[in-house]
Amino acid sequence: MTDDRKGTVPVWMLATGDVRVPAVTGDGPMTAERLAELRGVLAVLAEEPIATLEAHPLPEQFDRGRGIPLDAASPLAQHLSQLITQSARGSSASATTTAAGEGLYRMVIPAKVAAQFGQGILRPMTAKGAAGCIRGPLVDSAGKIAGAATFVPAGQAAAAGAVGGAGATAGVAVGGSAMLTVAAPLVLMAVAVGVSAQADSRRQQAIEHITELLEQLHEQKLMDEHSELDGCRDAIDKATAILLDQGRPGVSLGLDSAVHAINSALGAADRRLAQWQSALDKLPEGKAVELGTLTKSFPGIDDHGGIFRAHLELATLAISLKRRVVVLQAVEHAQSDPGNLFENFTRALKRDQHRLDALEASIAGVLVRLSGLELARTNGLRPVFTTAEVDRLMRAAHRIHQLGDGVVVDSRATDVAIEIARDDDGSVVVFPALPASA
């Protein structure tokens, strides 16, 4: 998101537990660079995860459709409102910025903590038709968020209460700077909704690609697989809404059958992945591969459509749906022990994300290997190429080399930003979690 208006931006330091850290935060104005440095220091020195929360004016125009809306009675909206109200009493900068009731709140989770959420879930999404661009809900051409703003500590206000209604009571962190606020429920719910929104963004992108591919292929079996997966969304959406309102999803939602369908699709993705890896292993190293040989194991790889590409998108869809389910399970697990919110959440999420991260990394490895292949014409009786053969080979080589575009092989963790738009009635929209550099 971009905010070109120069001014003072309140920033809160939110801890997920009682922590003891050196008084490194200070109480004076900070630049964006100084704030980034401070986050790094706190991530290393603090005993518990620490996030920062910035309050910016709400942009006049931006797309709310890609976020997850929560009404004013939801736990996240209530925690945010309480933090704003209490901090405004002791901070003129906070009172001025939040006086209108609406605003854009940007929570940044340090890389050290974000790594616990799984390496695959928090990658930037490339914009369709715009190579190299990051697709975010609040980004325009002007640059980074609040690049010209001055950040001022918002005081020692705290968001009272906790997810589940007990434990993890918010307050000022002991033995540390007065800036530090214990607000585990607020951080937990922001991360949960932001990660869920990010996974759903991938689902939407995969659906667009699959629909286009299947219209070309007319493969009924793949259409059925797609329909079964897409039918899981309703149960997941309902379960998400219930859990984020501190309820418990029942059997009537159909979440169990949805999870079964998703797990079946992941099993199919695993089997296809094994076949792809085996086919690549059988290719001679350092030699050109005949196009006909390649299309036997990867049907349609030389075309815009094709079964191989449909299989890739079905795997992406299954992974994105499973990631949303994993977040739901982690939230439910955390809420069952409200005295240990954040640790339960990250532990459950990290454990269950491991398989999905491994599957995505392996698929990425297949695409990178394919994109690096050198193609050769199919052996035949004619000693020379025809014009049609040359054209086909060149088109196929270009499309296969493109398979590696956008593949993320760097698993280094990065700071993660979660943006929350708050309306004057207290309701919020939480946007997909993205690398903070976006």
Side-chain angles (χ1 to χ4, degrees), residues 10 40 86 96 208 218 225 239 274 286 288 309 316 370 377 427 429:
Q86 295 183 27
T96 301
E208 294 173 4
H218 302 291
E225 188 174 339
R309 296 173 191 267
T316 299
L370 284 170
R377 62 167 288 191
S427 62
V429 177

Side-chain angles (χ1 to χ4, degrees), residues 152-174:
V152 176
Q156 59 183 30
V163 177
T169 302
V172 180
V174 296

